[in-house]
Amino acid sequence: MAITLTAAAAKHVNRNLTRRGKGVGVRLGVKTTGCSGLAYQLEYADEVAAEDVVFEDHGVKVLIDPKSLPYLDGTELDFVREGLNEGFKFINPREKDRCGCGESFRV
């Protein structure tokens, strides 16, 4: 099982952790929502919870709760700029379908 980050994603996370002045990494998860069933969650984490599964890539800790891990296993987190928009992009090999608005996915 593994979660990875691209160099661009790691750079963006590290820059924001420095700006915040605190934090141990980024927390990824999934929640039930939307027309396809699941949506990605991403937030900066200030501490590691006892139940967290911890991965580290490019010097960034990625924290995942055990319930989300089966849906995220093998995912690569990227940070992309497309025109005037920028943001994180989840590249998930388990993803079978995505809703038209791009907010939710199905495995």
Side-chain angles (χ1 to χ4, degrees), residues 5 9 13 17 21 37 49 67 77 82 96 99 103-104:
L5 286 88
V13 169
L17 288 173
K67 291 181 182 178
L77 184 63
E82 296 171 346
K96 302 280 190 253
C99 72
E103 292 297 317
S104 62

Side-chain angles (χ1 to χ4, degrees), residues 1 40 69-75 91-97 105-107:
M1 293 187 164
Y40 296 109
L69 188 55
Y71 301 105
L72 295 173
D73 185 28
T75 296
I91 304 162
N92 185 346
R94 296 181 180 273
E95 197 174 291
K96 302 280 190 253
D97 192 23
F105 69 100
R106 183 169 43 98
V107 291

Side-chain angles (χ1 to χ4, degrees), residues 2 16 25-28 37 41 43-44 52 58 75 79 84 87 90-91 96 99 106-107:
N16 281 315
V26 66
R27 182 179 308 281
L28 304 182
Q41 292 182 299
E43 63 186 13
Y44 291 97
D52 284 336
H58 295 284
T75 296
F79 187 79
L84 297 175
F90 290 82
I91 304 162
K96 302 280 190 253
C99 72
R106 183 169 43 98
V107 291

Side-chain angles (χ1 to χ4, degrees), residues 9-83:
K11 181 178 177 182
H12 186 77
V13 169
N14 279 325
R15 186 177 25 210
N16 281 315
L17 288 173
T18 300
R19 284 183 189 155
R20 291 177 78 232
K22 62 179 180 177
V24 296
V26 66
R27 182 179 308 281
L28 304 182
V30 296
K31 65 179 180 175
T32 305
T33 189
C35 38
S36 290
L38 297 169
Y40 296 109
Q41 292 182 299
L42 183 145
E43 63 186 13
Y44 291 97
D46 293 332
E47 59 187 41
V48 178
E51 69 275 3
D52 284 336
V53 178
V54 181
F55 298 94
E56 190 164 337
D57 195 17
H58 295 284
V60 173
K61 286 186 180 166
V62 179
L63 315 172
I64 300 177
D65 68 273
K67 291 181 182 178
S68 296
L69 188 55
Y71 301 105
L72 295 173
D73 185 28
T75 296
E76 180 179 58
L77 184 63
D78 194 7
F79 187 79
V80 296
R81 290 191 171 133
E82 296 171 346

